[in-house]
């Protein structure tokens, strides 16, 4: 069973860069899965940030695309997220998830436990 | 961009009763729709994919139906552990991105 673990600073200053990693265990990042990031501001709903395939192909939420970069490190079996020019609106719990694309449907089957990132001076 | 609208925002149900949650798409999305359950302080959990296929380990009291623009998640007999927020989700072909509904909170009546 795939397990995902997010890590990174819990506090980022406004205008700074948010950087998170997601370690994948129990499976290979080179598998047929896509890998995604989703965030959830306190008390609000889920917002999809973007996804990456091990080849490096990416898709991003158009509302965040100019500030977001998702990458993979195959040697470490992990993926990363960077969000630049952060503001208080970027305060959220950030989740990584594995994405399945099958003939039966496209969906996120495994999720990390999430990590809270607060943007504040 | 396809918009997913969930209703109601909050559903008050007594344990043992049936809960019916709706997810409406702004355009035809065939049957490529997933449902997730999220409890406070926890990550979302996949319940249903392909509109009607239960994910591994999901109890039979959860069922999904619908196609096109109207989808339903039904919990046949609510258990205490089912009180949570439920989200629908699907992938848009253009722009290529996933979209979530705004969620339905199922609370104890």
């Amino acid at each position: 069973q795939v397990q995902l673990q997010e890590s990174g600073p819990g506090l980022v200053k406004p205008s700074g860069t948010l950087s998170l990693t997601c370690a994948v265990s129990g499976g290979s990042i080179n598998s047929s899965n896509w890998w995604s990031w989703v965030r959830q501001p306190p008390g609000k709903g889920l917002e999809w940030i973007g996804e990456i395939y091990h080849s490096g192909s990416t898709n991003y939420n158009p509302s965040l695309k100019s500030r977001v970069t998702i990458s993979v490190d195959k040697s470490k079996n992990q993926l990363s997220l960077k969000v630049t020019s952060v503001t208080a609106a970027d305060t959220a719990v950030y989740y990584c998830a594995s994405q399945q694309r099958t003939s039966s449907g496209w969906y996120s089957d495994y999720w990390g436990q999430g990590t809270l990132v607060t943007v504040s001076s | 961009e396809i918009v997913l609208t969930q209703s109601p925002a909050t559903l008050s149900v007594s344990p043992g009763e049936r809960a019916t949650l709706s997810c409406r798409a702004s355009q035809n999305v065939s049957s490529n729709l997933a449902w997730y359950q999220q409890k406070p302080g926890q990550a979302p959990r996949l319940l249903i994919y392909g509109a009607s296929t239960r994910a591994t380990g999901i109890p039979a009291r959860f069922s999904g139906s619908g196609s096109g623009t109207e989808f339903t998640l039904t919990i046949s007999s609510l258990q205490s552990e089912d009180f949570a927020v439920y989200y629908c989700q699907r992938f848009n072909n253009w722009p290529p991105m996933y979209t979530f509904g705004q969620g339905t909170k199922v609370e104890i009546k």
Side-chain angles (χ1 to χ4, degrees):
Chain A
Q1 178 170 324
V2 173
Q3 293 185 315
L4 304 167
Q5 178 73 55
E6 305 91 347
S7 62
L11 182 64
V12 181
K13 294 186 186 305
S15 78
T17 297
L18 179 160
S19 297
L20 297 175
T21 61
C22 173
V24 179
S25 59
S28 172
I29 207 158
N30 284 323
S31 70
S32 59
N33 296 353
W34 285 68
W35 306 91
S36 65
W37 288 95
V38 174
R39 70 181 184 179
Q40 185 171 38
K44 296 187 178 180
L46 301 169
E47 180 181 33
W48 183 80
I49 299 171
E51 64 177 353
I52 190 165
Y53 194 60
H54 61 76
S55 64
S57 294
T58 53
N59 291 309
Y60 294 118
N61 188 324
S63 68
L64 298 168
K65 187 174 183 177
S66 63
R67 300 192 295 124
V68 170
T69 302
I70 297 175
S71 59
V72 292
D73 186 331
K74 297 178 185 180
S75 66
K76 295 182 178 179
N77 214 39
Q78 67 184 31
L79 62 155
S80 298
L81 170 71
K82 290 188 186 299
V83 182
T84 61
S85 305
V86 297
T87 69
D90 295 305
T91 294
V93 175
Y94 286 75
Y95 297 99
C96 57
S98 64
Q99 298 281 160
Q100 297 290 339
R101 292 188 180 192
T102 74
S103 59
S104 301
W106 294 14
Y107 51 88
S108 307
D109 53 353
Y110 295 106
W111 295 70
Q113 87 284 357
T115 187
L116 174 62
V117 179
T118 302
V119 178
S120 175
S121 55
Chain B
E1 178 183 336
I2 294 174
V3 176
L4 299 177
T5 302
Q6 292 187 242
S7 62
T10 302
L11 185 61
S12 297
V13 186
S14 299
E17 289 188 341
R18 182 186 193 93
T20 303
L21 289 67
S22 173
C23 177
R24 176 175 294 176
S26 58
Q27 301 174 38
N28 190 321
V29 297
S30 66
S31 61
N32 195 357
L33 188 104
W35 289 93
Y36 301 86
Q37 176 194 66
Q38 187 180 34
K39 297 178 181 179
Q42 296 185 17
R45 177 175 73 144
L46 176 69
L47 297 176
I48 301 285
Y49 61 91
S52 61
T53 302
R54 273 190 304 277
T56 302
I58 301 303
R61 64 181 181 271
F62 291 93
S63 64
S65 63
S67 65
T69 61
E70 298 283 345
F71 299 87
T72 299
L73 174 69
T74 301
I75 311 171
S76 60
S77 177
L78 269 160
Q79 305 299 302
S80 57
E81 61 267 30
D82 300 335
F83 292 97
V85 180
Y86 293 83
Y87 295 94
C88 57
Q89 181 210 41
R90 77 122 345 180
F91 185 81
N92 299 328
N93 288 327
W94 190 260
M97 62 174 290
Y98 285 88
T99 300
F100 288 97
Q102 80 277 21
T104 290
K105 181 179 182 180
V106 177
E107 63 177 25
I108 300 174
K109 187 174 182 180

